[in-house]
Amino acid sequence: MAAGWNAKLIVEAWTHGGPITTSIGLAIAARHTRARHVCIVPDERSRLAYVKAMYDVVGWVSEVIVRQAEEVMGELKGVDFLVVDCTSKDFARVLRFARFSNKGAVLAFKNAFQRSSSGFRWQGQGVLDRGTRVVRSVFLPVGQGLDIVHVGSTSGSGSGESMNKNHSRWIKHVDQKSGEEHFFRGKF
């Protein structure tokens, strides 16, 4: 999906013990699109495990940054593709500080079943900036749940500012647990 989006900056937050398969796919996609692939890990233990696993499987390692993900996200401008694990207690903070590319971004959230049981909403809980245009979201029952969101293009100042603030449209969201359809109308 990252390669199909032709992403130029692919970012993932990874912790020790997490599956490496997503990281492998992102690294290969980054090679195909000549993108920058950044893996953010919280500590040295996670960095060592990530580097070893990547060398064992693909034979190379993308850029690894050892710090808290929400700290790093403010420094990475133009994120096209972001992968975050919803079991991380700070995944919403990671999104809040993300600075998406001008053409928009694709956000992929692993282990989304755990998040959906808490009454989670994309907007209104400080996850995405006010005015961020959610173009489309889809929930896939893969593994522990995969939530994919496409946020719209921006005016170039980071995350959240829509190009046309006076545009009004309907958005449909289907609750994956109950099957209920929700329609929202707003200015984006």
Side-chain angles (χ1 to χ4, degrees):
M1 185 184 295
W5 180 256
N6 199 21
K8 295 302 175 197
L9 177 56
I10 301 169
V11 179
E12 68 173 311
W14 190 84
T15 55
H16 186 270
I20 199 72
T21 53
T22 302
S23 302
I24 293 166
L26 293 174
I28 292 169
R31 280 265 170 118
H32 284 288
T33 62
R34 295 188 175 116
R36 179 180 175 202
H37 174 217
V38 178
C39 180
I40 305 167
V41 296
D43 52 35
E44 188 63 22
R45 176 180 168 220
S46 296
R47 186 190 72 78
L48 292 172
Y50 178 83
V51 168
K52 180 183 180 331
M54 290 299 285
Y55 269 121
D56 288 349
V57 177
V58 293
W60 77 84
V61 175
S62 303
E63 184 177 346
V64 181
I65 299 175
V66 181
R67 286 189 9 229
Q68 292 302 315
E70 65 268 14
E71 295 172 9
V72 177
M73 291 310 296
E75 299 169 11
L76 297 172
K77 297 176 184 173
V79 174
D80 294 307
F81 199 90
L82 175 65
V83 179
V84 181
D85 189 340
C86 288
T87 59
S88 170
K89 65 182 185 289
D90 60 351
F91 91 93
R93 288 179 48 94
V94 171
L95 289 175
R96 209 171 312 138
F97 293 106
R99 300 180 77 188
F100 306 129
S101 92
N102 292 338
K103 69 177 184 174
V106 173
L107 315 174
F109 303 97
K110 303 182 296 185
N111 298 312
F113 277 131
Q114 295 181 16
R115 187 204 64 229
S116 63
S117 64
S118 65
F120 176 83
R121 290 189 178 96
W122 285 112
Q123 294 171 324
Q125 291 183 336
V127 177
L128 292 174
D129 287 344
R130 183 180 177 99
T132 300
R133 186 169 49 101
V134 176
V135 176
R136 181 166 185 180
S137 68
V138 63
F139 183 87
L140 303 173
V142 177
Q144 293 299 311
L146 180 64
D147 206 351
I148 301 171
V149 177
H150 172 209
V151 294
S153 60
T154 65
S155 61
S157 62
S159 67
E161 293 184 39
S162 304
M163 290 180 79
N164 184 356
K165 297 218 181 243
N166 296 322
H167 182 68
S168 180
R169 57 181 269 194
W170 287 94
I171 293 180
K172 174 182 164 184
H173 179 269
V174 177
D175 185 318
Q176 297 300 319
K177 295 223 180 223
S178 68
E180 294 176 336
E181 291 183 355
H182 303 275
F183 292 92
F184 304 94
R185 183 175 174 95
K187 293 194 181 226
F188 298 97

